[in-house]
Amino acid sequence: MARLTVLEPEAMYPDTSLEQEVFGPEVEILHGGAPHTESLDMLPDEVCARVDGLLIFRHWLKPHHIARFPRLKAVVRMGVGYDRLDRAACAARGIKVCNVPDYGTMEVADHAIALTLALRRGIALHHDLQRADPPAAWRYVDSPLIRRLEVQGFGIVGLGRIGTAVALRAKALGFKVRFFDPHLPNGVDRALGIGRARTLEELLAGADVLSIHVPDTRTTRGLIGAAQLALLPKGAVVINTARGTSLDIEALEAALRSGQLAGAGLDVIPVEPPVEPVPNLLAAYRRREPWLTGRLIVTPHSAFHTPEAWADIRRKSAETMRDVLLHGHSHNEIPPHSD
């Protein structure tokens, strides 16, 4: 069997020792050539001609890129989302596309809960008020944000790995947890000891906290818009640590301004990184407009980030690529039209 070649173009890690350990001597590893700030277009033709497996983190993989890799057999997205990969073009060439769905489950779940508590316990609110000039009086502030956890419904849209981890954390804190996910079989709710909503509308009506955990697909884009936000109980909080495309950010701004929503925590926005003109809500947040004091927390798609998660990305990506290229397995394979 001819030696296989795997390319990790971004040089995300300082060396390839771990990957070589995972792959063994049967695989040659190429490292670098297209930093994340660039594109795969900058790779030399002679490098592309040798590649059997491609590890992708930040790059887009479009049909003209795929055409440059005549030997390509497998692409592994070093993360959960796969919207940057043209899966149809890969399928036309018989190229398997896989992802790494379990590298940051704990981190993202923790982040969703942290955003929830920072808002619902008034931590962000009092923090903002106490560092104001002049600072607010040394006392608590009454706000629609602040409520006892056990009286609140916690609604989860999408009960995959991360959604499940969030459900267990929210349940442990005393929230009344329910989820909506039409793709799961009966009995999941009973196994976890949480409630299930049969429709999205049913979930929204009882969600004092709404936490979104869906991928970016044709069916999830714009899933939560003005009509859906209006169904939430007045004073609800919305958390999104999944993909920014699932939540209409203009509708979110309107719901916050009207008081329909008490607050929101966002780790994702529709276009990342944000480009000018940025969404009105983000612009108001950056200007520290008084109406948003303590009501909005934005983090830069960092929910997954820990040293441990980065180590998982590295090892699990290499293991997935090894299993596909060397053993013919289909672990974590993404069908060309799974959405």
Side-chain angles (χ1 to χ4, degrees):
M1 177 179 173
R3 196 179 189 204
L4 298 169
T5 299
V6 171
L7 170 65
E8 193 277 279
E10 296 182 44
M12 291 172 55
Y13 302 94
D15 57 50
T16 60
S17 57
L18 185 149
E19 289 79 6
Q20 200 68 67
E21 172 194 330
V22 171
F23 288 126
E26 298 95 337
V27 175
E28 172 192 30
I29 304 167
L30 303 180
H31 190 225
H36 75 269
T37 54
E38 302 292 339
S39 82
L40 297 175
D41 292 322
M42 69 182 299
L43 292 169
D45 289 337
E46 56 270 24
V47 169
C48 297
R50 297 163 55 192
V51 173
D52 300 283
L54 183 60
L55 296 166
I56 293 285
F57 185 62
R58 296 181 182 89
H59 287 140
W60 292 87
L61 184 65
K62 299 181 178 180
H64 76 277
H65 297 134
I66 296 167
R68 300 191 64 208
F69 295 95
R71 289 175 42 175
L72 191 62
K73 301 176 182 67
V75 176
V76 172
R77 159 74 173 106
M78 302 175 73
V80 180
Y82 42 81
D83 44 293
R84 294 184 173 222
L85 312 180
D86 193 314
R87 289 172 290 136
C90 286
R93 282 266 311 275
I95 300 166
K96 288 187 177 181
V97 176
C98 304
N99 69 345
V100 180
D102 56 342
Y103 76 92
T105 301
M106 295 170 288
E107 285 84 357
V108 179
D110 291 343
H111 202 86
I113 294 297
L115 291 172
T116 299
L117 293 179
L119 290 163
R120 276 303 191 200
R121 293 301 309 130
I123 295 170
L125 174 64
H126 289 105
H127 171 71
D128 281 353
L129 291 173
Q130 288 302 318
R131 67 174 179 163
D133 186 18
W138 189 255
R139 69 184 301 274
Y140 61 84
V141 174
D142 288 323
S143 166
L145 280 168
I146 303 170
R147 296 184 64 200
R148 179 177 290 180
L149 303 188
E150 68 178 15
V151 305
Q152 296 180 64
F154 194 106
I156 298 172
V157 183
L159 200 75
R161 295 171 179 85
I162 295 171
T164 300
V166 170
L168 294 174
R169 286 156 171 76
K171 178 186 174 184
L173 289 168
F175 285 103
K176 296 177 289 186
V177 182
R178 289 204 307 170
F179 75 94
F180 170 70
D181 191 325
H183 304 291
L184 296 182
N186 291 339
V188 172
D189 48 336
R190 296 187 176 224
L192 296 174
I194 61 176
R196 181 170 197 167
R198 294 299 166 182
T199 66
L200 177 60
E201 292 72 20
E202 179 187 338
L203 180 79
L204 296 172
D208 301 289
V209 177
L210 180 69
S211 194
I212 302 170
H213 299 283
V214 295
D216 176 44
T217 70
R218 289 191 297 268
T219 56
T220 63
R221 288 168 201 149
L223 181 67
I224 307 298
Q228 290 72 35
L229 295 175
L231 295 176
L232 293 168
K234 187 173 176 62
V237 163
V238 173
I239 306 295
N240 192 5
T241 55
R243 284 293 183 268
T245 52
S246 62
L247 176 61
D248 184 334
I249 197 167
E250 303 301 334
L252 180 67
E253 180 198 11
L256 285 165
R257 284 188 180 274
S258 72
Q260 166 64 12
L261 296 181
L266 305 178
D267 187 55
V268 290
I269 58 176
V271 177
E272 297 179 357
V275 296
E276 294 294 340
V278 300
N280 293 332
L281 181 61
L282 183 59
Y285 173 80
R286 289 175 168 178
R287 289 193 297 266
R288 298 192 181 186
E289 293 186 5
W291 69 277
L292 274 178
T293 298
R295 300 177 63 199
L296 178 65
I297 303 173
V298 177
T299 54
H301 206 141
S302 59
F304 76 97
H305 176 66
T306 63
E308 294 81 5
W310 281 105
D312 278 352
I313 291 174
R314 184 178 187 183
R315 179 171 291 279
K316 289 175 181 291
S317 296
E319 289 173 345
T320 300
M321 182 65 78
R322 175 202 62 196
D323 291 347
V324 172
L325 281 185
L326 297 181
H327 307 306
H329 296 164
S330 299
H331 295 163
N332 304 327
E333 185 173 1
I334 308 297
H337 301 294
S338 60
D339 56 352

